[in-house]
Amino acid sequence: MKSTFIVKIFLFFAIVLTGPLSAEQRQVLQENIAKARVGDFIVTHQGKMFSVLHIRGKTETGLILEEISAPRDRIPKNKYNWREWVEDNAPGHSSWVMYRLNTKSGVIESSFSYTQNSWFKIRESDNFLTALLNIPFYKISLKDRKRVGPKGFHPAGNEMRDVWQPKMVVNGQTIENITFDAWKARWPNDGTELAGKMIEVYIPEENTNYPSYFPYWLQISGIIGKAKIRIVESGGELKSPKPIM
C-alpha cells in the first residue's frame, strides 16, 4: 500500500523558498512530536481532500497516530464539526489508518488500515514522514523571514513590514497574535523526487500553550507546479470510535 495522507501532508506544501540558513541546527520536528498529547488533532485541506490527524495514544517509545481522509465533496462547506464527524465514524471517509511511530528514531514501526481491515507496510521510498522527522533544520533569522505589506524601512534602516505568520485555528476559533518560528532544511539525496529540495516549516514558538509538534505551514521548493496544504482546524480531547490495533 502506498503511503497515505499523513505521510504526503509534508510533500504538497509547494512554494518557492528563499533566504539563507542560520547557524542553529536541530531535529526540531522529531523533538517536538514527542511532546504531543493524547487527544490532540489537526485537520488539513489539500486539493480535493480533507484529512484528520489524531494523536491516539502513547507508547514507551513513541506515539499511536490515527489519520482519516475524505474527499472535499463529501464534507459540508461551512462550520463543520470535525470532532463530531470522527466520533460518528467519519461518514464519507475514503481512508482510515493507524500508525505506531517511534519518536526517538522517527521510524513508523507498524501500520493498520481500518478501511481494508489489514496491516500494511509503508515502503521506505514512500515514507516521507520518517525522513522529515530525521532531517536537521536550521532556524531562519528574523531578518531573513518573509514579510507582509508594502516594502519600506524606518529612518534608521529597520524593516517596517511585519513578519509573515501562518493562521492558527483551535476548536473553531482563530487565535490571534501567535508567533511562529520558521525552520529550513535540505532534503537528503535519497533518490526520491524530493532529493536535494529545500523544505521550510513554521511551528509555534517554544513555551507557548499550543502544539509545536506539527507544522502549521510547510513548503517545498523545486516541485513542478504548486500545491498547498493548510491546517483548517486543530484541537484536543478527540475520542476515536475505533479500537487500537
Side-chain angles (χ1 to χ4, degrees):
M1 177 180 290
K2 290 183 179 296
S3 61
T4 50
F5 195 81
I6 189 175
V7 174
K8 292 180 180 177
I9 184 174
F10 296 108
L11 177 60
F12 294 108
F13 287 95
I15 299 176
V16 175
L17 307 182
T18 56
L21 303 179
S22 68
E24 184 178 359
Q25 184 179 28
R26 289 166 50 189
Q27 289 175 301
V28 62
L29 295 181
Q30 188 181 91
E31 294 172 12
N32 288 345
I33 201 168
K35 304 172 186 177
R37 297 169 297 189
V38 174
D40 284 351
F41 70 95
I42 63 168
V43 182
T44 65
H45 182 204
Q46 186 269 322
K48 297 181 179 180
M49 295 293 292
F50 283 96
S51 187
V52 176
L53 174 63
H54 175 210
I55 307 298
R56 180 66 190 274
K58 285 195 170 185
T59 68
E60 291 183 1
T61 57
L63 300 171
I64 306 279
L65 303 175
E66 190 171 26
E67 179 248 326
I68 314 163
S69 296
R72 182 179 58 190
D73 59 7
R74 299 183 190 176
I75 301 295
K77 293 182 179 180
N78 298 315
K79 297 183 179 179
Y80 195 63
N81 190 314
W82 290 100
R83 190 189 308 275
E84 293 180 0
W85 182 71
V86 172
E87 294 173 354
D88 193 31
N89 281 291
H93 74 272
S94 58
S95 173
W96 194 322
V97 296
M98 184 173 290
Y99 305 90
R100 186 174 68 192
L101 172 69
N102 187 316
T103 54
K104 296 180 181 179
S105 66
V107 172
I108 294 177
E109 297 176 329
S110 59
S111 313
F112 183 84
S113 170
Y114 292 104
T115 312
Q116 299 187 10
N117 194 31
S118 64
W119 297 92
F120 68 97
K121 183 175 178 61
I122 298 177
R123 296 181 305 177
E124 185 175 350
S125 60
D126 288 333
N127 197 347
F128 296 103
L129 176 57
T130 294
L132 187 72
L133 290 175
N134 286 289
I135 291 175
F137 280 83
Y138 298 82
K139 192 172 184 180
I140 303 174
S141 66
L142 280 177
K143 68 181 181 64
D144 294 319
R145 290 276 297 271
K146 292 186 294 186
R147 303 278 173 166
V148 293
K151 191 171 184 178
F153 295 89
H154 290 290
N158 298 324
E159 174 69 68
M160 295 178 61
R161 297 174 297 169
D162 292 331
V163 171
W164 180 82
Q165 305 283 2
K167 182 179 180 180
M168 178 183 284
V169 179
V170 179
N171 295 320
Q173 301 295 318
T174 299
I175 309 300
E176 304 290 348
N177 302 318
I178 299 298
T179 304
F180 290 79
D181 285 328
W183 299 78
K184 185 177 287 189
R186 186 175 297 279
W187 198 272
N189 291 316
D190 56 1
T192 69
E193 63 181 307
L194 290 183
K197 303 296 190 297
M198 294 300 299
I199 315 294
E200 187 174 338
V201 299
Y202 289 77
I203 58 178
E205 283 187 340
E206 294 182 358
N207 302 318
T208 65
N209 294 323
Y210 299 98
S212 59
Y213 54 83
F214 207 85
Y216 278 78
W217 185 263
L218 187 154
Q219 53 194 39
I220 302 171
S221 67
I223 303 294
I224 298 176
K226 291 185 178 180
K228 298 179 182 179
I229 297 175
R230 57 191 179 96
I231 294 180
V232 298
E233 177 67 284
S234 61
E237 300 182 359
L238 179 64
K239 305 294 183 183
S240 174
K242 300 293 187 183
I244 291 183
M245 305 302 293

